[in-house]
Amino acid sequence: MQDSTTRPPYMRSSVAAVAPGGNPTYAPALPRRMRALHLNECPFPPSPKVVEAVREAAAKANRYPDAQARALAGALAARTGVDPAAIVFGTGSEELLNLTTLLALDPGDEVIASTPSFGRYMKSTQLAGGVPVRVKLQPDGRNDVKALVAAVTPRTRILYCALPNNPTGWINDRDEVEYLVTATPPGVLLAIDEAYFEYARHAGGPDVLAALKKRRGPWIVMRTFSKAYCLAGLRLGYALCSSPEVAGAIQRGRTAFNANALVQAAALAALEDEAHLKMVLDSCAAERDRLDAGLRRLGLAPMRTVTNFMSIPVPMKAASVVKGMEERGILIGAWAEGGRDDVIRISIGGPEDTDAVLAAMTEILAVAPRQPASAQRAPA
Ligand SMILES: Cc1ncc(COP(=O)(O)O)c(C=O)c1O
């Protein structure tokens, strides 16, 4: 950390101490057409009803949007049972995660999260001058709920938990979720990231919101329209909070019109088109099974997942597989934390994407030098 004599006037010390983040590759800007399987996007365009709603809203874009997004809050309240006054919107759920941390922490406060998990939890903690407390996952990639709760100290303000976790893709069962929500002390904000909620429920995952009824302390559940609703490019996330008071913190910190008019219209139309959502979820489940079976036939052991992505330990450096895939026109990811350099992450695409990944992986495994067998160990 730089001291006050050397730190620049435009950054406080905690901000200067954060490594500048690399921006994810934007596939359409690349010189050749690539399959984008690195950001866990939906391979399908949004519902035609959504596109029509956006078109209509665009014609009125000279007006500011509803700053409270009342119609959308009402629709989500009806679906979730959460008080509309306790629902807040953000420019993607990442903005909500960021704000939640920035608005809750004093310097030196602690934030607990699993590792590896979604990077924003700890990045926002560092920005706020907080102390990241990282807890290792279980070998199968689900959160270690006992260890997360055991990491709480008097300085803990927030416990983040992604259900299901990214990048592993696996989720805790109902008993473990109930343990997490009841054993996390009431003095801690329990922030549950359900970015892959629709996929997880479709795959039989637990009802986290129902479990939260048993919690005595404050909680926030973050969800997004970026994934199963195919709206990543429009940017909308929402936070379901345990009370209007909890929501009030984010309401104070957000900018007035952060949910724009086009995305409010799009999200309302997307919620109504249940057939489109079902098509997306069914397709994902089918391709996930096909990818898993194909990779197993190649001798790999993909991690179990209830999401639209899959993590796969490989018998070589993950970076060499990422490069090999890129040379074959496919963008994928690799784990960026958690001490492993031999796990790749691939988003589930459409049928042609699955075929292309399996063909490319067959070639890569045939030519690449292998690491010792330890590379196939379970994730840390
Ligand atoms: C676990 C998790 N949380 C949050 C996000 C952020 O999603 P968005 O900002 O698009 O809503 C992502 C995106 O990949 C994610 O994987």
Side-chain angles (χ1 to χ4, degrees):
M1 197 167 298
Q2 306 181 32
D3 69 27
S4 59
T5 53
T6 57
R7 110 185 128 86
Y10 46 84
M11 287 199 264
R12 65 168 185 266
S13 313
S14 62
V15 178
V18 174
N23 287 324
T25 307
Y26 180 58
L30 295 173
R32 66 189 258 238
R33 198 181 151 267
M34 303 286 284
R35 293 181 191 279
L37 301 177
H38 60 316
L39 295 176
N40 304 341
E41 297 155 327
C42 183
F44 300 102
S47 145
K49 291 175 188 161
V50 168
V51 176
E52 188 48 39
V54 170
R55 204 189 306 276
E56 279 174 26
K60 301 178 215 151
N62 54 314
R63 300 291 176 193
Y64 282 107
D66 177 1
Q68 298 303 326
R70 270 165 289 211
L72 194 52
L76 290 169
R79 281 170 170 75
T80 59
V82 173
D83 179 351
I87 302 178
V88 199
F89 296 93
T91 308
S93 58
E94 189 172 7
E95 185 192 36
L96 292 166
L97 297 165
N98 206 36
L99 279 175
T100 298
T101 320
L102 296 181
L103 298 169
L105 258 56
D106 282 329
D109 284 340
E110 294 172 5
V111 174
I112 300 169
S114 296
T115 184
S117 193
F118 191 58
R120 180 50 60 180
Y121 316 139
M122 290 323 191
K123 196 160 193 181
S124 58
T125 300
Q126 289 169 313
L127 285 172
V131 180
V133 177
R134 297 183 173 89
V135 173
K136 274 168 60 168
L137 294 167
Q138 294 277 13
D140 65 0
R142 73 188 203 280
N143 298 284
D144 186 337
V145 290
K146 286 242 155 73
L148 285 169
V149 173
V152 172
T153 76
R155 286 305 307 252
T156 308
R157 299 286 283 181
I158 306 177
L159 192 162
Y160 274 110
C161 188
L163 292 170
N165 189 50
N166 177 8
T168 45
W170 198 230
I171 194 165
N172 299 81
D173 65 18
R174 198 186 61 180
D175 288 349
E176 289 187 340
V177 172
E178 284 197 2
Y179 174 82
L180 180 73
V181 306
T182 52
T184 301
V188 173
L189 173 62
L190 179 61
I192 295 196
D193 183 351
E194 284 200 298
Y196 302 93
F197 158 73
E198 296 83 6
Y199 297 99
R201 291 293 282 156
H202 187 257
D207 186 342
V208 174
L209 212 48
L212 279 163
K213 292 207 172 78
K214 299 196 172 157
R215 174 156 176 75
R216 284 189 300 114
W219 53 262
I220 301 186
V221 168
M222 322 278 187
R223 292 184 188 165
T224 181
F225 283 89
S226 295
K227 308 293 178 183
Y229 288 108
C230 316
L231 289 175
L234 277 185
R235 314 299 302 125
L236 189 74
Y238 59 99
L240 306 168
C241 304
S242 51
S243 68
E245 288 71 34
V246 174
I250 307 175
Q251 293 286 18
R252 277 173 229 204
R254 74 175 175 96
T255 54
F257 302 110
N258 62 340
N260 72 63
L262 304 195
V263 81
Q264 289 190 35
L268 265 175
L271 284 177
E272 277 164 22
D273 195 343
E274 287 173 10
H276 190 270
L277 177 65
K278 182 172 183 316
M279 179 279 290
V280 167
L281 298 177
D282 287 347
S283 162
C284 176
E287 292 311 310
R288 195 170 57 207
D289 284 352
R290 223 158 63 75
L291 185 61
D292 182 84
L295 293 171
R296 281 180 199 283
R297 275 197 297 277
L298 295 177
L300 297 171
M303 298 177 65
R304 288 203 287 176
T305 170
V306 291
T307 64
N308 67 339
F309 60 87
M310 187 177 284
S311 271
I312 307 137
V314 286
M316 68 233 357
K317 292 252 190 260
S320 68
V321 180
V322 171
K323 188 163 168 286
M325 285 280 181
E326 199 175 322
E327 286 161 4
R328 292 164 177 83
I330 305 170
L331 297 173
I332 65 165
W335 285 16
E337 59 160 308
R340 294 287 299 263
D341 63 0
D342 62 342
V343 189
I344 56 169
R345 194 198 65 188
I346 304 181
S347 310
I348 310 296
E352 288 178 10
D353 295 320
T354 308
D355 293 343
V357 166
L358 291 174
M361 192 60 103
T362 305
E363 287 179 14
I364 290 167
L365 288 173
V367 297
R370 306 208 166 205
Q371 272 184 2
S374 65
Q376 287 287 309
R377 76 200 138 99

